[in-house]
Amino acid sequence: MDSPEGNPVAASSSPISSDSPPVQESPFFNYLCNLSPIKSVKAERYTQRFTETNLPTPPLVFTSPRIDLQRDTSFLERDNVAATDSIVHENFNTQLNVVHIPSFEKEGQSCSPAGCIDEYLVDPMEVDSTNSTHLGLQSAEEVPELLQSGYAGLKGTIKKVDDAVDSNREEGALTLCDPAEKNLNLSPLKLVESAVDLRNDERFDDFLKGLTSEKAKDIVDADMKLNPVSGVQHCERHAAQIEGVQQDEGDGTCQSLDEPLQINEACEDFDDGSRTLPKEFVKGANNCRGTRRHLHFEATLACKSIATGNTANPKASITNLKSLAPISSSWDAAGYPLSITSQASCCPLKVARSTQNIGNSEILSPLPTGIGLHVNSIGRSMLSGSDVFTSKNLNLSSQDKLVPEWSNDLVKDPNNISNSAIAGTMFSHADLDQQESQAGVAASSTSYPINSLNPPCDSPLTQIELQVAPCEGRISAQQNADSIDELNQMSPKRKRKSTANKSESGDCKRCNCKRSKCLKLYCECFAAGIYCVGSCACETCFNKPEYEDLVLDTREQIESRNPLAFAPKIVKQTTESPANVMEEGNWTTPSSARHKRGCNCKKSKCLKKYCECYQAKVGCSDGCRCDGCQNSFGIKSDYRRAERCDNLSHEKLQIAESEKNGSSKQFSPTSWEGLADMRNLDPCSEISQAQLQLASNIQSSAASLHWRYSPVTLTPKLCGGNGPHELTSDSAFCNMEDNDMLEILKDTTNTHRAEGQRSSSPRGLRCGRKFILQAVPSFPPLTPYKTVSSKLKNDQTDSAANR
DNA sequence: GAGTTTGAAACT
DNA sequence: CAGTTTCAAACTC
């Protein structure tokens, strides 16, 4: 680790200094003040940021504060965990306590009508649908029979779960167990909430009395399975009753990895329970980091279903749930925490990503409209939105929002993953050397299919993946360690070579900054919104977690100059025609993706990586000021022609769709001319009628998914690599200046609604636009999550109306 | 590996 | 806003 010359943090004029003006006191602030001093400072700072900007504090911020609500680390000692510093505890607590929403209420956290803290702790969907003044738990009538029956039916419930449950009686948890026969009208989050309420059910106490050891285990297991949130609470509350119950060695292991699709095997971050539970029990439970994320994923998917209004096909949704389950489990296996808030805030994104990762899975249901993010913005937006830059904890939180590609491999070969490796990963990341670990993983990880996505490995997105890579099973922990050591022992030059080689092979590359202290956009890591890691060859690097305040300040400074400095450079024009959408499993670059600002090449002719367009494998556009452009991905002068080509293509698709609908009145001579014209255009004319028909049948939202997450690093497919195309009105966005983009951002909601009323435009196009609008925001999100939630609802309404 | 070229970012 | 400087990546030898 570099030892920077002096600590700029101390000298920096941080708003957290004691001289700082008092932050306006609010319930939120008071809440934060109850946190640990360190985190309170951060929270204060965060609050202040939003106070100053008059922006609503995004709920994601609570990822961090909640983490600290229970800082009891005694369980660490009990489990002989080497917690070497507070950060370890902090991070570890992150993994343990993030879902302790109910405890807040129990502990009487203040909750004012104006700014109920819990409002930030629930799924935005819930926030949106529920009065913010009573967001804590659903009322009894809202919570299905699960609540009413309470744990009196626990035994039966367990049995049902284990038997894969085919009953409809308990619509709550059991719906998750047998999703194919249930519907998803019940929000999974509600399930969690309802389950939480069960903690207070005295019948549970009665039930626990007289437990046999086996029963105890089964019950708590089932508790976790059914009710990951309350499971922890149960374990704490009824520890005395369970204490002494002997568990068979190895019997406490969770099967989630073996049968990841089973909801009842998705276990919970049960570490908290370790404070009171027998160690073996805890051990078993600790092996089961699946349930919470599992359920969250379900919540995510529920969000998806809700967002798309796809409640008509619950079965498909449930199928998706099943498909996604292993992924979520694998995430938990990595020991990363998940906050309902953060997860839910980004749930559609997560869903989309998951869908992508699943590849050929059966996930077919439409994606939520309007929640997609440009692939470049995935990491950044989330990083920003969750203030990840400010905290490693938050960094972790961001991981929750993403699903690693390797999780698919988990499913395929669960035996590849050892729990020990998982645990090792967890602890290694809880260490100060976290990033070195990442680096090691990065160095040893070579084959992420997702690599084709932007941002590259440097991005938070990839960082997240890398952090959990050990669980992938492809790389042993020892290999990781070796890689780390190797990297750490490298000279900067060698590191650079090494990373450069990796870069060539499509893997991670890191910065090599010498004078910028990695706090300027020169630094690729900083520009990507991530900390530098051990694999970086930078000198005097301040882009590290320990300088997070400085990093944040610098970032703010840069953003004050250019609010979109951290926005994706490559933007995808939005009205991509379905014909131009990649086919399933064949991810190609949207050829209409363009550099937001354009290049300025003078000598390289846009044929070398000096050119940002070329580097991003996108064509040059009118926004470029390059001389003698010969960009092989599309030269500037071809831009207009390609635009015309795409417009025609789009028109043709509209015609095809109209044809399908039996409505020929929309055909215009122009349209037909366009069709004829298209035939003369190469390569657009290669679009077959079948393709067009297929394209017209493509669910627009699904297409939108591909576009949203379409890697810009691949070659265009249908319209050829040199055919930058498809620039309709929306596409001007590509070349918009930042101010224009900001204007649009401010007007996102209105735009969205207006689009919803535009009956003539294909749904997919609207999706595309929404995507772009939401892709751009950096930190802090200009659109509160509540608004996003509202938009989800609007989408739902739109979908319903369109149907 | 050292040095050069290049263009983005930062600065004036 | 334009010109200049700084910077680090890309590239060449």
Side-chain angles (χ1 to χ4, degrees):
Chain A
M1 189 180 298
D2 295 332
S3 46
E5 314 153 347
N7 188 345
V9 177
S12 69
S13 56
S14 167
I16 62 173
S17 70
S18 56
D19 297 333
S20 298
V23 176
Q24 176 187 350
E25 289 198 8
S26 66
F28 176 44
F29 177 73
N30 291 334
Y31 171 81
L32 298 177
C33 287
N34 291 328
L35 306 177
S36 73
I38 295 173
K39 285 296 174 184
S40 293
V41 168
K42 291 177 183 174
E44 176 183 347
R45 177 194 180 94
Y46 188 88
T47 307
Q48 189 176 23
R49 292 179 63 194
F50 285 91
T51 304
E52 290 167 352
T53 56
N54 291 324
L55 287 170
T57 307
L60 284 184
V61 71
F62 257 85
T63 306
S64 182
R66 266 189 298 158
I67 286 161
D68 295 282
L69 282 181
Q70 299 182 24
R71 296 179 65 82
D72 179 5
T73 56
S74 57
F75 63 95
L76 287 171
E77 299 157 10
R78 206 162 303 169
D79 285 351
N80 297 320
V81 173
T84 55
D85 60 41
S86 63
I87 294 178
V88 171
H89 289 236
E90 209 168 273
N91 279 336
F92 200 67
N93 270 331
T94 298
Q95 298 154 4
L96 304 180
N97 301 320
V98 287
V99 195
H100 283 218
I101 298 166
S103 354
F104 300 167
E105 295 185 329
K106 231 180 160 184
E107 292 157 10
Q109 292 289 338
S110 64
C111 179
S112 77
C116 181
I117 288 302
D118 288 327
E119 177 174 340
Y120 293 93
L121 302 178
V122 300
D123 188 334
M125 302 296 292
E126 289 297 321
V127 172
D128 196 51
S129 61
T130 316
N131 187 315
S132 62
T133 59
H134 54 275
L135 282 166
L137 297 175
Q138 299 295 309
S139 61
E141 58 267 26
E142 287 176 293
V143 178
E145 295 173 357
L146 177 62
L147 178 61
Q148 296 165 15
S149 60
Y151 267 86
L154 183 59
K155 279 184 183 177
T157 301
I158 296 166
K159 187 175 185 306
K160 289 168 195 165
V161 171
D162 290 338
D163 292 340
V165 189
D166 55 1
S167 163
N168 289 330
R169 274 174 292 168
E170 297 199 11
E171 196 176 326
L174 294 187
T175 295
L176 301 175
C177 300
D178 189 13
E181 299 187 9
K182 310 291 187 291
N183 63 57
L184 272 179
N185 290 334
L186 175 65
S187 161
L189 193 63
K190 282 187 180 178
L191 284 180
V192 173
E193 290 168 347
S194 61
V196 164
D197 257 354
L198 295 175
R199 292 179 298 122
N200 300 320
D201 196 323
E202 292 304 319
R203 286 173 289 185
F204 183 72
D205 297 69
D206 299 333
F207 170 72
L208 284 174
K209 293 174 183 173
L211 283 174
T212 66
S213 63
E214 279 304 313
K215 281 179 182 175
K217 173 189 174 299
D218 291 345
I219 287 165
V220 182
D221 275 350
D223 189 14
M224 291 187 292
K225 292 164 186 170
L226 285 175
N227 181 7
V229 174
S230 63
V232 175
Q233 312 295 332
H234 282 307
C235 292
E236 293 172 347
R237 184 177 175 183
H238 305 289
Q241 290 163 295
I242 301 176
E243 198 101 43
V245 172
Q246 295 300 312
Q247 297 293 315
D248 294 333
E249 278 290 336
D251 195 28
T253 55
C254 179
Q255 304 169 5
S256 63
L257 292 178
D258 296 329
E259 300 178 41
L261 297 183
Q262 298 288 331
I263 177 66
N264 59 340
E265 290 160 354
C267 298
E268 175 48 287
D269 271 355
F270 207 67
D271 310 56
D272 245 2
S274 67
R275 284 181 257 181
T276 51
L277 289 174
K279 199 169 177 179
E280 293 80 2
F281 198 110
V282 174
K283 179 183 173 186
N286 280 338
N287 286 333
C288 309
R289 303 179 186 283
T291 304
R292 183 174 296 159
R293 202 168 307 273
H294 188 118
L295 287 179
H296 283 267
F297 233 106
E298 287 158 351
T300 296
L301 284 162
C303 290
K304 169 183 163 186
S305 287
I306 293 166
T308 55
N310 190 25
T311 53
N313 189 7
K315 195 163 182 172
S317 300
I318 293 293
T319 303
N320 295 350
L321 287 180
K322 284 198 166 193
S323 304
L324 290 170
I327 294 176
S328 63
S329 294
S330 64
W331 272 97
D332 265 11
Y336 292 118
L338 177 62
S339 104
I340 286 178
T341 304
S342 62
Q343 178 270 344
S345 298
C346 296
C347 71
L349 167 62
K350 190 175 173 183
V351 168
R353 175 73 187 277
S354 313
T355 307
Q356 178 185 357
N357 287 335
I358 282 179
N360 293 328
S361 74
E362 66 261 83
I363 292 182
L364 296 171
S365 62
L367 285 159
T369 57
I371 301 299
L373 288 172
H374 188 284
V375 64
N376 269 353
S377 69
I378 292 172
R380 288 175 189 159
S381 295
M382 291 192 309
L383 268 176
S384 301
S386 57
D387 204 9
V388 170
F389 231 128
T390 65
S391 156
K392 276 199 285 187
N393 291 337
L394 290 175
N395 208 350
L396 287 171
S397 76
S398 73
Q399 295 159 4
D400 298 319
K401 301 159 197 158
L402 300 165
V403 180
E405 180 72 15
W406 51 263
S407 56
N408 217 17
D409 298 298
L410 270 181
V411 184
K412 294 172 186 168
D413 190 7
N415 296 327
N416 267 349
I417 303 107
S418 71
N419 288 330
S420 60
I422 292 166
T425 303
M426 180 176 70
F427 285 103
S428 72
H429 291 307
D431 194 88
L432 272 174
D433 291 333
Q434 172 186 8
Q435 306 240 346
E436 275 71 14
S437 300
Q438 297 167 20
V441 174
S444 51
S445 304
T446 54
S447 57
Y448 296 110
I450 204 69
N451 271 350
S452 59
L453 289 173
N454 263 352
C457 302
D458 313 54
S459 73
L461 182 70
T462 313
Q463 181 183 25
I464 288 159
E465 291 165 354
L466 295 176
Q467 284 181 309
V468 292
C471 295
E472 185 179 10
R474 297 177 193 164
I475 310 150
S476 71
Q478 185 55 48
Q479 281 175 313
N480 291 333
D482 292 345
S483 300
I484 295 166
D485 293 341
E486 189 180 350
L487 272 170
N488 288 339
Q489 289 166 10
M490 279 181 182
S491 68
K493 272 288 181 185
R494 196 176 157 205
K495 277 184 185 176
R496 182 178 182 177
K497 271 292 177 188
S498 170
T499 54
N501 290 339
K502 277 186 293 179
S503 176
E504 286 165 8
S505 62
D507 215 315
C508 297
K509 57 180 179 181
R510 296 296 180 181
C511 74
N512 190 37
C513 307
K514 296 286 185 294
R515 317 185 90 183
S516 68
K517 298 179 172 63
C518 297
L519 287 178
K520 298 198 171 178
L521 292 174
Y522 296 129
C523 174
E524 289 192 354
C525 300
F526 182 78
I530 62 171
Y531 291 121
C532 292
V533 297
S535 56
C536 290
C538 45
E539 298 172 3
T540 322
C541 175
F542 288 117
N543 183 30
K544 294 187 173 178
E546 50 264 47
Y547 303 113
E548 60 177 292
D549 285 336
L550 178 63
V551 169
L552 180 62
D553 284 342
T554 308
R555 184 184 166 98
E556 285 174 345
Q557 210 170 8
I558 292 171
E559 285 188 320
S560 70
R561 280 200 308 260
N562 175 13
L564 295 173
F566 295 92
K569 286 180 179 176
I570 305 301
V571 293
K572 166 70 189 65
Q573 78 91 9
T574 56
T575 55
E576 189 67 18
S577 65
N580 204 19
V581 171
M582 303 76 68
E583 286 179 0
E584 189 71 32
N586 189 0
W587 299 93
T588 61
T589 302
S591 54
S592 53
R594 286 293 181 275
H595 196 282
K596 176 167 67 79
R597 193 172 28 80
C599 67
N600 192 34
C601 305
K602 302 298 177 197
K603 298 182 177 179
S604 69
K605 297 185 167 86
C606 303
L607 278 174
K608 299 197 172 181
K609 282 180 139 185
Y610 297 126
C611 172
E612 289 199 348
C613 298
Y614 180 88
Q615 190 169 40
K617 296 181 179 169
V618 300
C620 289
S621 67
D622 285 353
C624 297
R625 290 136 292 167
C626 45
D627 293 341
C629 177
Q630 296 179 22
N631 189 339
S632 57
F633 296 97
I635 65 177
K636 187 166 59 174
S637 57
D638 280 350
Y639 194 51
R640 294 285 180 192
R641 190 172 54 192
E643 175 182 354
R644 179 162 161 256
C645 170
D646 275 356
N647 281 335
L648 293 171
S649 171
H650 183 188
E651 215 166 342
K652 187 175 177 181
L653 285 164
Q654 285 186 311
I655 291 168
E657 192 157 344
S658 301
E659 212 172 19
K660 181 186 163 193
N661 296 334
S663 158
S664 61
K665 61 186 176 185
Q666 293 179 13
F667 288 6
S668 68
T670 309
S671 301
W672 288 113
E673 282 173 18
L675 285 174
D677 201 8
M678 282 185 65
R679 291 295 173 195
N680 297 326
L681 287 174
D682 185 44
C684 291
S685 60
E686 293 173 12
I687 302 172
S688 68
Q689 198 62 41
Q691 282 173 317
L692 287 169
Q693 187 61 41
L694 172 65
S696 70
N697 289 333
I698 294 174
Q699 281 283 341
S700 58
S701 53
S704 175
L705 160 72
H706 288 199
W707 280 112
R708 288 166 186 154
Y709 300 94
S710 59
V712 297
T713 55
L714 299 174
T715 53
K717 187 166 181 239
L718 292 176
C719 275
N722 291 327
H725 52 280
E726 179 109 27
L727 264 185
T728 56
S729 59
D730 284 339
S731 64
F733 193 88
C734 296
N735 297 320
M736 276 182 181
E737 293 301 324
D738 293 347
N739 287 341
D740 301 324
M741 301 176 86
L742 283 175
E743 279 301 311
I744 290 179
L745 286 173
K746 290 175 187 171
D747 204 33
T748 297
T749 305
N750 292 338
T751 305
H752 167 77
R753 285 174 182 154
E755 286 164 352
Q757 296 160 359
R758 225 183 289 151
S759 58
S760 59
S761 63
R763 207 169 139 227
L765 304 187
R766 285 186 277 121
C767 293
R769 167 173 279 211
K770 288 175 214 163
F771 144 57
I772 282 294
L773 289 174
Q774 297 193 14
V776 180
S778 185
F779 181 82
L782 296 174
T783 305
Y785 289 93
K786 233 176 173 176
T787 304
V788 172
S789 172
S790 300
K791 292 169 70 177
L792 279 176
K793 292 227 159 192
N794 287 339
D795 279 332
Q796 187 178 3
T797 306
D798 293 347
S799 302
N802 289 340
R803 251 181 258 123

